[in-house]
Amino acid sequence: MSTERKVAQLIQPQINSFTAEDMARYRFGSYLNGGNGGPDGDEFAPAGKWLAYADRMWDASIGPLPGDEPVIPTIWGTDAVHGHTNIVGATIFPHNIGLGATRDADLLRRIGHATAKEIEVTGIDWNFSPTVAVARDDRWGRTYESYSEDPRIVAELGAALVEGLQGTPGDADYLREGRVAATAKHFFADGGTDQGVDQGDVNGDIESLKAIHAVPYPAAIDAGVEVVMASFNSINGVKMHGNRDLLTGVLRDEMGFEGVVVGDWNAHGQIAGCTVDDCPQALLAGLDIYMVPDDWKALLENLVAQVEDGTIPMAKLDEAVGRVLRLKLRLGLLDPNAAKPSARPNAGDYALLASADHRALAREAVAKSQVILKNDGVLPLKAGARVLVAGNAADDIAKAAGGWTLTWQGGGELDNSYFPNATSIYRAIESEASAQGGSATLSPDGTADAGAHDVAVVVFGEEAYAEFVGDRKTVVFEDTEGLDLLRKFKAAGLPTVAVFLSGRPMWMNRELNASDAFLASWLPGSEGAGVSDILFGKQDATGRLSFSWPADCGGAPVNGTQGALFNLGYGRSLADRSTMAALPEDCGYLTEGVSTAWFDLGRLDSGISAMGGDTRLPNLIGEGGGVVARGFDKDRQEDAREIVFGPGSTLSLSQRGDTSGDYRILYNLASQPAGPVTLTVGEREIDITRNFALSAGKGWREMIITEQCAPGLGNRIAFTSDAPLTIQIARIARQDMPEGAECSF
């Protein structure tokens, strides 16, 4: 193989950034579809178009080459993290947090096998799953991708899913019919970042970190996992994609992993000294495949040049290429008679997508994942009951499925028409109630006559999210839709059942008090009947918490009995009808009347002055002192401000007279700062450059500054940037935060 062809085996672009002609010219070793990617730019393309695309790229990759250079077919990787959920009509299994509550390794093997078959229908070879993160801070936006805070549970269930996807090494069906390559991710400690910040830093003694976060990897390796994905996060300040001590020293030398190490989405570009199109450091550290969605051509050319000039030894390149080729060999793709995707087993058998067997399996998984936290006697629902089903999530399949469902973030504009092979929780309740001689009425806003019903089931929860978009500063569930409905029905004398959809345990004391039964339903996916099976007692509740449930509001991580309302392993059977004492509802994050907005909804408070240098910026709009502030639409017209700093410029806000409370600032940064940025609070100057660097590109974030980290907060704050900087600000407020609240820098 020529140097260019070797390097191409290590390049993995996304399908929206190259053509079949590019594939024929460059011969990428692999490619992927991102969370919002689909064939020919259509993320909702029917399964047949996905299969046709796989054929087109296969054909482009196996055309003859000059001379005796070998032809190496490409492979396609996808994020089928809870079923083949990029495909309209596929089975949607519960997210990992729910599967962790089942404690059923055999169930995970069967789910892996079913998912592999549905992936094969579309001609794809490789799944970027399972996530074997050990989530230790539930504020992390990827908590639902973790099976448990307990590494032993994660190890057992992660290995089981690997076996389901790939088969067992040595068996005749290993990586053959009904099987695809699996990926254990993200190596390592992605679930251990400070304050649960996605892609953030993990600090501590390396052996102590390994004792928690590395535990699932030997189990996955023993199960034969073919691929490990490197993580975005840093360990003690060093990005994993460039950490040779861990990628090579621990993963390969210590754990004995011999398979492929693949990167995550442009994560190599975060290594110190790297850009997304120029990063020999990652290959030298132990990466085999660069996931480079769009900048593939420049990266390929730079890597070729770096091999030719000796920056990358040819032996190092050959090691990485050899591992990629061995993966393809085990997949059977280097056989001269290897079939194109559409000619392989299960390809084009669209009846396998959400087949009766797969839907039954998903329903079983949903039922086994439900955890009853409270039941004062209302469950199981009685035969013949007239059930009022309320809450906007009751008939919303996308909300029950969560992120990584058809789109990267899930939810949003995905109504039930996008899920032709699914049953909402309401439809399942309606069907079962009718079968038992009763009835069910859907009333999302709860306006139906309570007196005409025997019980109310309120289905509510978090909006869908994925990755850093789901990062939170607290685990307080602030949306009061479900709470208001529960209180309304309770006041009317109607027994209430809360069905809570979430990607993490949350502080729910108010909702627990307002309900007669409370079901932690997690993100169950496409089979609402699994929820109704528990509600009506068609099977007993066996789900048990795989995460500690917080007793107090706030942001302190709970991993164990200290601070837990319900411990790891808690969960009631339907026969357990013991009453629960009322829980405290005080929460500083929810206290009304103590928050004073300096700037909100596009307006400065009348007592606040904003200055660019020495120039006043009325209502935080205008230009002065090297600062330009203009209106910006966040949720409505000009409800925020975009602030452009010139080099060395300062924006300050101050309040006349006495003031009190901690600071909360809602902001968004599109890109990392080009130079130091400081925040002056009162008389104290704080370097926030690192905080901004970690926040850049991650959407709207909240900065919290308390007396604990900045004594003498005073009545003035000022941002100063040494280099040009653009930031968007939606809200600045003063609020007395709960004792122990963490600062966000």
Side-chain angles (χ1 to χ4, degrees), residues 188-539:
F188 88 103
D190 48 346
T193 58
D194 295 342
Q195 301 182 46
V197 175
D198 191 41
Q199 303 183 19
D201 203 7
V202 183
N203 294 289
D205 171 71
I206 193 66
E207 293 302 321
S208 298
L209 294 175
K210 285 164 59 179
I212 296 173
H213 298 287
V215 170
Y217 288 92
I221 292 167
D222 288 345
V225 71
E226 291 288 344
V227 184
V228 168
M229 183 179 288
S231 184
F232 273 107
N233 63 269
S234 305
I235 302 287
N236 295 322
V238 180
K239 281 291 182 181
M240 277 299 312
H241 277 61
N243 196 323
R244 189 181 187 283
D245 288 344
L246 297 178
L247 284 184
T248 298
V250 172
L251 181 59
R252 295 206 184 279
D253 297 343
E254 183 179 317
M255 295 182 177
F257 180 61
E258 297 179 349
V260 171
V261 175
V262 65
D264 208 341
W265 189 277
N266 275 338
H268 58 277
Q270 296 185 8
I271 299 171
C274 282
T275 60
V276 295
D277 60 4
D278 187 358
C279 191
Q281 293 96 315
L283 183 60
L284 294 172
L287 196 73
D288 295 319
I289 294 177
Y290 291 81
M291 187 182 288
V292 54
D294 304 311
D295 297 284
W296 51 266
K297 185 176 181 182
L299 178 63
L300 188 153
E301 291 172 348
N302 283 328
L303 287 172
V304 168
Q306 287 153 358
V307 172
E308 292 176 343
D309 69 15
T311 301
I312 299 172
M314 181 63 75
K316 188 65 178 176
L317 175 63
D318 287 346
E319 284 179 8
V321 175
R323 286 189 281 263
V324 174
L325 296 182
R326 282 192 292 273
L327 170 61
K328 295 181 178 183
L329 179 67
R330 287 192 285 270
L331 285 166
L333 302 181
L334 298 188
D335 187 317
N337 297 316
K340 64 181 179 179
S342 63
R344 299 174 194 164
N346 296 325
D349 186 357
Y350 304 117
L352 278 174
L353 298 174
S355 68
D357 287 345
H358 292 178
R359 293 193 66 178
L361 177 60
R363 179 173 180 169
E364 176 188 349
V366 173
K368 288 182 174 179
S369 70
Q370 304 301 294
V371 180
I372 296 178
L373 299 182
K374 178 180 181 179
N375 182 19
D376 288 351
V378 68
L379 294 180
L381 301 178
K382 294 179 174 60
R386 299 168 299 169
V387 185
L388 195 166
V389 184
N392 288 323
D395 196 31
D396 189 335
I397 295 166
K399 193 164 184 175
W404 292 108
T405 307
L406 297 188
T407 64
W408 175 36
Q409 294 296 319
E413 301 302 316
L414 300 175
D415 60 33
N416 287 357
S417 67
Y418 286 89
F419 304 96
N421 299 323
T423 303
S424 72
I425 294 172
Y426 162 67
R427 291 297 174 190
I429 292 173
E430 178 189 43
S431 177
E432 190 59 38
S434 178
Q436 294 195 15
S439 63
T441 301
L442 178 64
S443 179
D445 61 1
T447 55
D449 181 10
H453 297 86
D454 302 308
V455 63
V457 176
V458 180
V459 187
F460 64 104
E462 292 189 285
E463 297 297 329
Y465 56 82
E467 299 192 38
F468 49 78
V469 177
D471 285 358
R472 300 175 59 96
K473 293 305 298 178
T474 75
V475 290
V476 178
F477 186 68
E478 298 181 16
D479 188 332
T480 62
E481 180 218 2
L483 177 64
D484 293 342
L485 290 170
L486 290 167
R487 286 175 171 171
K488 174 182 177 179
F489 297 138
K490 192 178 187 71
L494 195 62
T496 55
V497 179
V499 176
F500 181 51
L501 304 175
S502 76
R504 59 191 128 208
M506 303 192 77
W507 185 79
M508 304 293 295
N509 286 15
R510 300 176 301 171
E511 290 83 357
L512 282 159
N513 286 341
S515 59
D516 296 295
F518 189 103
L519 194 63
S521 196
W522 314 116
L523 298 170
S526 62
E527 299 309 316
V531 178
S532 67
D533 285 345
I534 301 301
L535 295 177
F536 286 91
K538 293 194 70 175
Q539 67 180 75

Side-chain angles (χ1 to χ4, degrees), residues 5 9 89 119 122 259 271 275 339 358 585 593 598 601 604 665 683 686 699 713 726:
R5 294 284 181 251
Q9 289 298 308
I119 291 172
T122 56
I271 299 171
T275 60
H358 292 178
E585 297 188 4
W598 282 23
L601 299 177
L604 281 172
I665 303 170
E683 300 301 319
I686 304 168
L713 290 173
T726 299

Side-chain angles (χ1 to χ4, degrees), residues 547-571:
F547 287 84
S548 306
W549 196 280
D552 300 318
C553 78
V558 180
N559 296 293
T561 57
Q562 186 174 359
L565 177 63
F566 304 112
N567 293 329
L568 183 83
Y570 182 86

